[in-house]
Amino acid sequence: YSVIDKNVDLSTGLYNWETIGMPGGAYQIAAQAGSDFASLVLGNAWDMQEAADVPLTSAQVANPTFNSGIFRYTTAGNDAYIWLRNANDKTIDTSKFTRLTFRMNSNIASPTNEGWYLNWWDSSETPHGLTGGLRAVQSGWQIYTIDLSNQAAWTGNVRRIHLKPFASGSANATIQIDWVSVTTGSTPANEGDL
């Protein structure tokens, strides 16, 4: 296939495609619209449909399973983190993709001054993390989001994302992750928005 155009303004509802210089014949055209990095750039959303969505976890992620689009595990300490799938040659352009959102279920709420955390590595493999510390985790299914454009270190191109969905001293928290998304500013409400 061939890419005809990128970053097309879809708000007009109409896009003209000039065929000058192309041989006559029938052509199939497919459009991909959306704002999710993994869907647009990697061609596969972080929807937890397969183990490849989370290729690496810490040793403190106990009994990890993928079932019906849910990644489930139990925390075995305060450093239970997951890496989100990415290709080495595909980086996240931070000038475009500015919002991280994920849907998660925890059987317990995080204690005071504990919660979820995010790290990322830029194209030179320099690690960065959220300013302002940990974000509170509530029990039950919740959607968590953060505007990364407010983070001074969210610049350039990001190579890897490392998410600690429950970074606390609490062991034996049962965590279920439905999906994770880094978008161009819109906040997904459900997996169908990825």
Side-chain angles (χ1 to χ4, degrees), residues 37-183:
F37 166 78
S39 296
L40 291 174
V41 178
L42 302 177
N44 187 355
W46 294 321
D47 56 9
M48 304 305 140
Q49 292 294 328
E50 56 192 346
D53 287 338
V54 181
L56 182 66
T57 64
S58 71
Q60 294 179 1
V61 171
N63 305 313
T65 61
F66 289 82
N67 189 7
S68 300
I70 302 293
F71 174 49
R72 179 188 173 109
Y73 66 92
T74 303
T75 60
N78 67 351
D79 199 28
Y81 63 79
I82 64 172
W83 290 98
L84 296 172
R85 172 190 37 80
N86 198 1
N88 285 334
D89 61 337
K90 310 284 186 188
T91 57
I92 300 171
D93 180 345
T94 61
S95 69
K96 294 179 184 175
F97 297 98
T98 59
R99 186 172 301 273
L100 175 100
T101 306
F102 61 101
R103 183 172 184 259
M104 180 178 77
N105 180 32
S106 175
N107 68 325
I108 59 174
S110 59
T112 304
N113 299 323
E114 298 181 5
W116 69 270
Y117 193 70
L118 178 74
N119 293 96
W120 61 90
W121 279 253
D122 62 26
S123 57
S124 65
E125 293 298 328
T126 303
H128 303 280
L130 292 177
T131 56
L134 301 172
R135 303 323 198 247
V137 172
Q138 300 172 6
S139 63
W141 282 105
Q142 307 292 330
I143 293 178
Y144 300 91
T145 191
I146 186 164
D147 183 354
L148 295 168
S149 66
N150 295 327
Q151 300 290 313
W154 187 256
T155 61
N157 292 305
V158 168
R159 184 173 301 279
R160 295 183 286 156
I161 291 183
H162 169 212
L163 180 64
K164 287 185 178 182
F166 202 89
S168 75
S170 301
N172 299 318
T174 301
I175 303 297
Q176 295 175 292
I177 300 174
D178 186 9
W179 50 265
V180 181
S181 180
V182 178
T183 61

